[in-house]
Amino acid sequence: MPLVWLYPPELLEAVRNLGFDPRPETPPVFVRSAVNDLYRYELRRLRDRHKAGQIARGPFLDAVIALRKKYWVLTLQTPAWERICGAG
C-alpha cells in the first residue's frame, strides 16, 4: 500500500498557484523538486532577458525578488516538507 501524504492547506494552495496539484500519494520530495525546477527555469529565463538587454538592472532585481516571494515554498528544505506533510 502506498504512503499517503497530508499536504497542509497553505502548502497545497501555494503549489497549486504554481500549477501543481499533488495527490495524497505524491511524495513531497517529488513536488518540491518539480517546484524547484520551475523556479530555476523562470530565473534563468529572466536572467537571459536581462543579459539580452530586455530588462534593466533595477526591474530585473525587482523581478528576482518577486520570484523569490512567489516560490516561498522552496525556503522549506525537503525534510521539512516530509515532516509537515507526514506520511500516513
Side-chain angles (χ1 to χ4, degrees), residues 2-66:
L3 293 176
V4 176
W5 300 93
L6 302 172
Y7 290 85
E10 301 85 12
L11 185 60
L12 193 55
E13 179 183 354
V15 297
R16 282 183 175 156
N17 287 339
L18 295 170
F20 299 96
D21 190 19
R23 302 290 181 228
E25 319 63 57
T26 309
V29 66
F30 178 80
V31 178
R32 189 184 186 286
S33 178
V35 169
N36 187 59
D37 288 347
L38 182 59
Y39 170 70
R40 292 174 56 180
Y41 169 79
E42 286 198 46
L43 196 57
R44 286 183 187 127
R45 194 176 75 181
L46 188 60
R47 180 202 60 201
D48 292 346
R49 290 184 61 209
H50 173 61
K51 284 184 174 183
Q54 297 173 352
I55 303 175
R57 183 165 176 81
F60 168 72
L61 295 175
D62 291 341
V64 169
I65 291 169

